[in-house]
Amino acid sequence: MQTRCADATGPATARTLVPVASATAGPIASSRAPWGLPAFAWRPVGTAVVVLAVVLSVLSTRYGYHRDELYFRLLRPAWGYIDQPPLTPALARWISHVSGDSLFALRIPATLSLLGAVVLVALLARELGGGSGAQALAAWGFGTAATPLIFGHTLLTATLDMAVWAAVLWLVARALLHDPRAWVAAGAVAGVGLYNKLLVVALLGAVVLGLALAGPRHVLTTRWPWIGGLVAVVVGAPNLVYQATHGWPQLSMGSALAADHASDVRIQMWPFQLVALGPPLAVLWIVGLVALWRRPAWRPLRALVIAYPVVLVFTFAGGAQVYYAWGLLGAFLAAGAVVAAGWARTRGRKVAVVALVALNAAGSAAIGLPLIPVSALGSTPIGSINQTARDSVGWPTYVHQVEAVVDTLPAADRAHAVVLTGNYGEAGALSRFGSGLPPVYSGQNALGAYGPPPESATVAVVVEEDAAAPPTWFASCTVAARLDDGVGVDNEEQGAAVQVCRDPRGGWAAAWPHMRHLD
């Protein structure tokens, strides 16, 4: 049954959206297009998808594994982990197994996630009445922006979340403008998203608060949003049960991240809003944000404008990561694309808009994609700007250097040796690229549960950025080498000490709890 909200907004929105579509030089909806929306711009959006798919595929194996990808390979199948839900690790482990550890195959889901998000952002522009010009602008603008390119190149939990947030925002907009039943689909997508990151809960909560503050409030008195919420809970129930029965480990992880770098996050999150999609596109999404608040036809979507500062406050209070609110920028970009397409009615204005997106694409590609040869990366500012890039350099070289230290151990020591790493990236790299190494352990995050080493292990080759730390855990330690990637990229491992340590104090059972850490 249609609610009063749908009856009131559906036809009215259709009447107001058709002129907007014609103003953007896009095709007017055919008689079969629902709610008077423009036809979907298959050709320009499809072209963007194909071009991005080719570019990402060609560049997918450059630089190498990211530390998180190496970590995901190590995680044993489970309903969840102390630092994340199970979806991305399960996907990475399965692909690595069936593909014979192909990095190209591992990154296919990242490519698909970006391509899906591109289509969804274009669909959101269509929901707002944007014709082919607006949809093309939204697709090309988002697909060639900085953060989407970074996440589209590497399989991270934030990568899959990019598509989840885009889908939820599109469906929420559809529900508020045209079809309240879309709340159910939004709930289903959010429920699946819970298996990847719990952050989607913050988005849904922010939208509900936005509806309560900015309206249309009567939507909250209808059944559809609550049915959607129930669907989200049911679909995501196993993951939520895991969290509840394990003491909500994600809260512990969030607290650990905040303790580690909350002050930096609370400073950097503000300029990040302007550079997340690239500074030139900041103009476009800010225009879209303002238009979502001011345009009468888009009044039902004011809740999204309120949701943005709510998620920003959540990010500031939590202090865990700077990028938590960036997913909303895609919705604002879609709105800005509709405004810009309507403004660009002359040749000069069209050239200006295209130039803006092209300029942003060039800068974003240079920063977000592995275009610079790895041998030159360390001499450019890109490594310091894009942490994902510098965390993808040097792993095979580091492993060979650790292997060289292990090879110096006498046979008697080798029989009682383990390798202990300070972080999960090092452990993952040794597992992926190492040959003939003793068993590898790490105390970081979920890997800490896979220890301690056996008490028979009296010798440890320790890879640790802080060379002063191991002697507090062992009777003696000697620095045998320092890691060097050979290309001057300053990541966490560059300059880290490789030490040969003996006799853990009090045995591994006593020493291991001090070696475990969340960060």
Side-chain angles (χ1 to χ4, degrees), residues 355-385:
L356 182 77
V357 174
L359 175 64
N360 191 79
S364 296
I367 292 171
L369 294 177
L371 298 176
I372 303 296
V374 69
S375 59
L377 183 63
S379 60
T380 72
I382 292 174
S384 60
I385 296 171

Side-chain angles (χ1 to χ4, degrees), residues 65-477:
Y65 286 87
H66 183 268
R67 67 173 65 251
D68 286 8
E69 293 171 324
L70 292 167
Y71 174 47
F72 296 151
R73 291 179 65 261
L74 289 181
L75 294 180
R76 301 165 188 169
W79 278 112
Y81 307 93
I82 195 168
D83 51 354
Q84 62 202 301
L87 180 57
T88 303
L91 196 59
R93 186 180 180 91
W94 177 77
I95 292 174
S96 297
H97 175 73
V98 301
S99 70
D101 266 324
S102 164
L103 180 57
F104 178 87
L106 180 66
R107 287 180 168 169
I108 289 175
T111 299
L112 295 177
S113 182
L114 175 55
L115 301 183
V118 165
V119 172
L120 289 162
V121 171
L123 283 169
L124 182 50
R126 176 176 177 264
E127 292 296 327
L128 297 173
S132 61
Q135 293 174 43
L137 181 56
W140 282 98
F142 185 86
T144 59
T147 302
L149 286 177
I150 292 172
F151 289 163
H153 173 67
T154 310
L155 182 58
L156 312 170
T157 53
T159 299
L160 300 187
D161 235 27
M162 174 169 57
V164 169
W165 277 49
V168 169
L169 288 167
W170 168 56
L171 291 165
V172 167
R174 191 177 186 87
L176 292 173
L177 288 173
H178 312 299
D179 182 9
R181 293 167 297 184
W183 283 111
V184 180
V189 172
V192 173
L194 289 173
Y195 292 90
N196 180 60
K197 284 176 80 74
L198 300 185
L199 190 59
V200 70
V201 175
L203 173 62
L204 296 177
V207 169
V208 170
L209 183 59
L211 288 170
L213 294 176
R217 295 182 183 86
H218 63 268
V219 169
L220 297 176
T221 67
T222 67
R223 59 182 175 175
W224 296 109
W226 308 112
I227 293 176
L230 179 62
V231 169
V233 171
V234 171
V235 172
N239 181 59
L240 296 175
V241 168
Y242 172 86
Q243 290 289 321
T245 56
H246 288 75
W248 298 98
Q250 293 270 262
L251 297 180
S252 300
M253 189 67 210
S255 298
L257 289 173
D260 190 42
H261 52 241
S263 57
D264 292 336
V265 167
R266 289 166 182 160
I267 294 172
Q268 296 169 5
M269 61 177 283
W270 306 110
F272 181 78
Q273 305 309 308
L274 298 179
V275 302
L277 298 182
L281 282 195
V283 176
L284 207 56
W285 72 254
I286 290 172
V287 166
L289 183 151
V290 173
L292 280 174
W293 185 262
R294 297 183 62 182
R295 284 196 173 189
W298 296 348
R299 186 180 181 89
L301 299 183
R302 284 186 171 185
L304 299 184
V305 179
I306 298 295
Y308 182 49
V310 171
V311 179
L312 284 175
V313 169
F314 170 82
T315 304
F316 185 89
Q321 299 287 359
V322 299
Y323 61 81
Y324 281 173
W326 91 274
L328 278 157
L329 302 185
F332 303 147
L333 180 66
V338 176
V339 175
W343 173 81
R345 297 174 181 174
T346 66
R347 181 178 180 84
R349 289 181 176 184
K350 289 178 182 178
V351 170
V353 171
V354 171
L356 182 77
V357 174
L359 175 64
N360 191 79
S364 296
I367 292 171
L369 294 177
L371 298 176
I372 303 296
V374 69
S375 59
L377 183 63
S379 60
T380 72
I382 292 174
S384 60
I385 296 171
N386 182 359
Q387 182 179 344
T388 303
R390 66 177 182 266
D391 282 348
S392 303
V393 171
W395 295 115
T397 301
Y398 294 145
V399 169
H400 294 328
Q401 292 166 359
V402 174
E403 287 176 331
V405 172
V406 171
D407 288 343
T408 66
L409 296 177
D413 286 346
R414 284 287 299 270
H416 300 282
V418 295
V419 178
L420 178 65
T421 72
N423 68 55
Y424 57 63
E426 296 155 0
L430 290 166
S431 171
R432 171 64 181 86
F433 299 110
S435 176
L437 288 171
V440 178
Y441 293 87
S442 175
Q444 187 181 19
N445 296 1
L447 297 185
Y450 301 162
E455 292 297 337
S456 59
T458 56
V459 177
V461 175
V462 180
V463 183
E464 176 64 51
E465 301 93 276
D466 181 5
T472 64
W473 310 332
F474 296 93
S476 67
C477 285

